[in-house]
Amino acid sequence: MLKIAIANNKGGVAKTTSALNLMAYYAQKGYKVLGVDLDPQGNLSDSLGINIDDLKFTAYEALKSKDVVPFITEIKENLSIVASNLDLERGNLDFVSMMGRELLLKKALKKAEENYDICIIDTSPSLSTLTLNALAAADTIYIPLRSGYFEMRGSGVLIDVINDVREDVNPDLKIGGVFLTQYDSRTNMSLEVTKRLEDHFGSSLLKSKIRNNIALAEAPALAQDIFTYKPTSNGSKDYKKLAEEILKREGFK
């Protein structure tokens, strides 16, 4: 099972939108996909039609028991999730003093390995214990960045944390790539940021860019992915390209 973390310590960069649509695309392609919602806001779970206010169990229980299997909810064919709501925030408090706290998710995913092809882990906009669990469990991390100056500068903090995680708990973690979201080629800022990112990240900057598209904001409110909601939209076209580029980078056929 390929484990992909979608992470950035800044909010509003389309982490959850990216996780949702990558999961949906891979499931439609026939891969068995497991999502893990590691954001206490529960937006990924909500976007998949789960009533997060009525959840009996969340990723908190999965981490605590070190086994995600009893807490997996099947959404539709090939697509399942370990859902979350604000109860997951307890993990940032309860796990702090626990030995091996960064490895809880890695251990919890082991029993699910044989049942899924791809696992997408959505993270919160903070470098919390939960986010560290995502990085420790993942094989590869993809970093969404808004086409803005401050977002570009803030990415350095996350890179430092990734290097620390590699050194301490997950030496095999790799940066799969960085991709731009909310992109508008008509603005000088987007063009300038793209040029600077190309200089800084080189081949780690993905060719695929997610353009500004209102449909991407509308779809989750209806518990739909972009491919179901508006399959001919720019958002659908862009996420298809991104998903295919990631598959190629990860060696999936």
Side-chain angles (χ1 to χ4, degrees), residues 13-247:
V13 296
K15 287 190 298 295
T16 299
T17 299
S18 298
L20 169 67
N21 290 305
L22 290 174
M23 288 168 57
Y25 182 80
Y26 294 143
Q28 290 174 18
K29 290 281 285 187
Y31 293 105
K32 295 282 289 183
V33 179
L34 175 65
V36 178
D37 192 347
L38 273 195
D39 186 348
Q41 294 180 78
N43 290 337
L44 180 60
S45 304
D46 189 35
S47 297
L48 289 168
I50 293 175
N51 185 345
I52 62 174
D53 294 328
D54 289 341
L55 282 178
K56 293 183 179 179
F57 303 104
T58 71
Y60 171 79
E61 283 78 21
L63 292 172
K64 194 172 183 179
S65 66
K66 300 176 187 176
D67 184 4
V68 300
V69 174
F71 308 102
I72 292 174
T73 300
E74 184 175 348
I75 302 299
K76 56 185 176 182
E77 185 178 9
N78 294 333
L79 182 59
S80 301
I81 188 172
V82 180
S84 288
N85 59 20
L86 285 174
D87 285 348
L88 177 61
E89 191 64 58
R90 289 186 291 164
N92 282 322
L93 300 174
D94 295 353
F95 301 149
V96 167
S97 60
M98 188 179 295
M99 185 72 73
R101 59 187 177 274
E102 299 93 349
L103 299 174
L104 296 176
L105 180 60
K106 184 175 183 178
K107 294 175 181 178
L109 287 171
K110 284 188 179 296
K111 292 184 179 180
E113 290 264 353
E114 296 181 358
N115 298 325
Y116 298 92
D117 301 306
I118 299 174
C119 176
I120 303 289
I121 308 168
D122 190 26
T123 61
S124 63
S126 66
L127 298 175
S128 64
T129 298
L130 296 171
T131 300
L132 291 177
N133 264 269
L135 299 181
D139 300 306
T140 184
I141 175 174
Y142 283 87
I143 305 170
L145 280 180
R146 279 184 60 194
S147 303
Y149 176 71
F150 293 110
E151 287 76 7
M152 179 182 66
R153 291 195 62 180
S155 63
V157 177
L158 179 60
I159 301 300
D160 290 342
V161 172
I162 292 170
N163 289 331
D164 288 342
V165 170
R166 279 178 178 154
E167 185 175 340
D168 296 335
V169 294
N170 187 1
D172 297 324
L173 176 65
K174 66 176 184 178
I175 298 176
V178 177
F179 61 95
L180 289 173
T181 62
Q182 301 175 42
Y183 183 78
D184 187 346
S185 62
R186 299 169 299 179
T187 67
N188 290 332
M189 177 58 74
S190 289
L191 296 174
E192 175 65 19
V193 169
T194 301
K195 178 64 171 62
R196 291 196 182 191
L197 288 173
E198 287 172 347
D199 294 340
H200 184 70
F201 287 108
S203 61
S204 292
L205 181 64
L206 276 66
K207 295 179 181 178
S208 305
K209 300 177 180 66
I210 310 301
R211 289 169 285 181
N212 280 321
N213 184 218
I214 189 62
L216 289 170
E218 295 170 343
L222 300 172
Q224 294 181 5
D225 58 81
I226 192 62
F227 309 106
T228 303
Y229 179 61
K230 284 195 176 177
T232 61
S233 65
N234 285 337
S236 178
K237 294 173 185 176
D238 292 347
Y239 270 109
K240 178 179 179 180
K241 289 179 182 178
L242 176 65
E244 289 288 351
E245 187 172 0
I246 290 174
L247 286 181

